[in-house]
Amino acid sequence: GIKKEDILAFMEQALNAVHGQLATVEAALGDSGLYEASRKDELRKQLDEQAKLKVREAELEEQWMAALEELEALEQQLAQVD
């Protein structure tokens, strides 16, 4: 079966991927040329992407924390059985 540790590792990989994508978007947003009128569509696209990634990041962090708490609770229950 699937282990909680595997789920946590998968979620951590997903979070790392989102962090990498955010870093790329934020690097692009750091380019002052992006704020020129001629590039406003590109700027809007980057800002939309940043907003989506931040929502995804928050969702993943919340799920990761919930899974971690569940794992810790299970480990405590197992410790009490011994």
Side-chain angles (χ1 to χ4, degrees):
I2 297 173
K3 294 190 197 95
K4 279 275 182 213
E5 292 90 346
D6 295 338
I7 294 168
L8 286 175
F10 174 77
M11 292 170 90
E12 207 169 326
Q13 285 178 336
L15 254 177
N16 287 338
V18 168
H19 289 155
Q21 291 171 312
L22 261 173
T24 301
V25 168
E26 286 168 356
L29 289 170
D31 171 12
S32 60
L34 187 62
Y35 298 88
E36 293 169 11
S38 63
R39 292 177 69 187
K40 72 173 191 247
D41 289 343
E42 189 183 343
L43 173 62
R44 188 173 299 125
K45 188 177 148 220
Q46 293 289 358
L47 289 170
D48 286 348
E49 186 66 17
Q50 181 188 38
K52 280 184 211 156
L53 287 167
K54 285 193 176 287
V55 168
R56 183 75 184 124
E57 176 186 42
E59 288 170 353
L60 283 168
E61 284 174 349
E62 204 173 293
Q63 290 168 1
W64 188 77
M65 288 303 292
L68 195 58
E69 285 170 17
E70 208 174 306
L71 180 62
E72 287 169 357
L74 281 171
E75 286 171 347
Q76 285 176 350
Q77 286 172 3
L78 287 172
Q80 289 168 358
V81 170
D82 292 343

